[in-house]
Amino acid sequence: MNPKESDQPKASGMLSVVSTPLGNLGDITARSLELLRTADLVLCEDTRTTGMLLKHLGIQAVLKSYHAYNEHVILDKILEQLQSGAKMVLVSDAGTPGISDPGFLLIRHLLQHRIKVDVAPGPSAILPALLLSGFPCDRFVFEGFLPLKKGRATRINALKTEARTIILYESPHRILRTVKDLAEILGPDRQACLARELTKLHQEIIHLPLADLARHCESKPPKGEIVLVLQGASKDKAGD
Ligand code: SAM
């Protein structure tokens, strides 16, 4: 997409992308609350999850499913409603839509059709994990979830020479395998930080080299939601 400068958004509806708390309700912003309160329609991954959140926040809203399985097919329907003047909010189950969650396709589609899109910034697991890792945060890369099969080794190999701090999302079922694979390819001594249940009651931050972290995950399998942060490659191994 290469919008011309004269391509101003049409005077129509608007989509606001709103981040929701990862676990601590206090992390919702005043602006997000206002947008949710005044939306004609809230697009969400799971209407039960968002319905519960809105109930806790004391907000009544009309909810519509927008998730990985239907996002391709409902793009034009959403576009039509926005062209008719609707004010919509997009949320995901938790954190920021589009970040390892649905959102990108819709945002791109609407921008291509010159619909106004705005973002109310808020919680995402990336930044708290990065800061709590204590690794350099002036430059970092977000890798999302590693592929399960095809391309997995290639992706990990590419990280061997990555000098910036690396952020990965992982599930508790796969964390042991991932830490073991990373230790094997990046080396057992690469410093890592496992950030678990961020912003929640049982938040836990573990700093260990990869080989020790693998042993830790084996003896005490981590539960809940996990971000894995890796120190970047040292200068002698870095690619640039
Ligand atoms: N959109 C979300 C965001 O902005 O962070 C991410 C959604 S992705 C489907 C879910 C993954 O995010 C989890 O598997 C975990 O890696 C990470 N995550 C979400 N909440 C977390 C939390 N409270 N603590 C640690 N990691 C979390």
Side-chain angles (χ1 to χ4, degrees):
M1 187 188 50
N2 185 15
K4 287 183 234 141
E5 271 180 27
S6 59
D7 279 354
Q8 291 304 313
K10 286 179 192 168
S12 65
M14 170 171 163
L15 178 81
S16 301
V17 182
V18 165
S19 301
T20 52
L22 301 172
N24 186 329
L25 275 190
D27 290 338
I28 190 91
T29 69
R31 186 175 162 208
S32 298
L33 284 174
E34 185 57 19
L35 287 165
L36 286 164
R37 258 188 220 116
T38 55
D40 297 316
L41 190 65
V42 175
L43 302 170
C44 56
E45 277 186 275
D46 182 334
T47 51
R48 281 165 308 176
T49 305
T50 300
M52 249 147 56
L53 172 72
L54 295 187
K55 196 169 167 211
H56 283 301
L57 297 171
I59 294 174
Q60 281 194 326
V62 181
L63 304 181
K64 185 179 171 67
S65 297
Y66 172 79
H67 46 64
Y69 306 103
N70 74 353
E71 60 178 339
H72 285 87
V73 294
I74 65 166
L75 288 182
D76 282 326
K77 176 91 187 126
I78 297 172
L79 174 64
E80 252 170 54
Q81 286 175 281
L82 286 163
Q83 283 168 334
S84 310
K87 260 171 69 182
M88 290 192 196
V89 161
L90 172 68
V91 296
S92 60
D93 282 351
T96 301
I99 305 299
S100 296
D101 266 340
F104 157 69
L105 284 181
L106 178 62
I107 293 168
R108 183 179 63 179
H109 194 65
L110 298 183
L111 292 176
Q112 282 168 343
H113 287 84
R114 298 192 288 130
I115 296 291
K116 194 170 175 209
V117 177
D118 200 9
V119 171
S124 181
I126 298 175
L127 293 185
L130 172 66
L131 295 175
L132 289 168
S133 75
F135 300 146
C137 53
D138 51 344
R139 296 174 72 212
F140 62 92
V141 285
F142 174 60
E143 286 284 327
F145 291 93
L146 285 173
L148 298 184
K149 290 188 187 128
K150 198 165 170 276
R152 183 175 172 91
T154 313
R155 280 272 289 276
I156 301 179
N157 269 302
L159 298 177
K160 265 188 188 168
T161 54
E162 175 54 69
R164 294 169 291 185
T165 299
I166 300 156
I167 303 172
L168 297 156
Y169 280 174
E170 197 44 282
S171 81
H173 320 289
R174 290 191 290 262
I175 188 68
L176 175 61
R177 176 183 162 208
T178 292
V179 174
K180 279 184 170 172
D181 288 354
L182 290 165
E184 195 180 310
I185 300 177
L186 306 183
D189 301 329
R190 177 76 72 103
Q191 292 296 324
C193 169
L194 187 152
R196 195 174 74 76
E197 296 288 83
L198 287 161
T199 77
K200 300 185 193 178
L201 188 62
H202 298 293
Q203 173 170 307
E204 182 184 30
I205 312 295
I206 303 165
H207 294 90
L208 283 174
L210 281 171
D212 295 345
L213 186 59
R215 278 189 285 275
H216 176 91
C217 293
E218 215 152 18
S219 64
K220 196 172 173 239
K223 293 190 186 129
E225 305 209 76
I226 296 168
V227 182
L228 188 61
V229 189
L230 306 175
Q231 192 161 38
S234 55
K235 273 203 181 110
D236 54 322
K237 296 195 181 107
D240 58 2

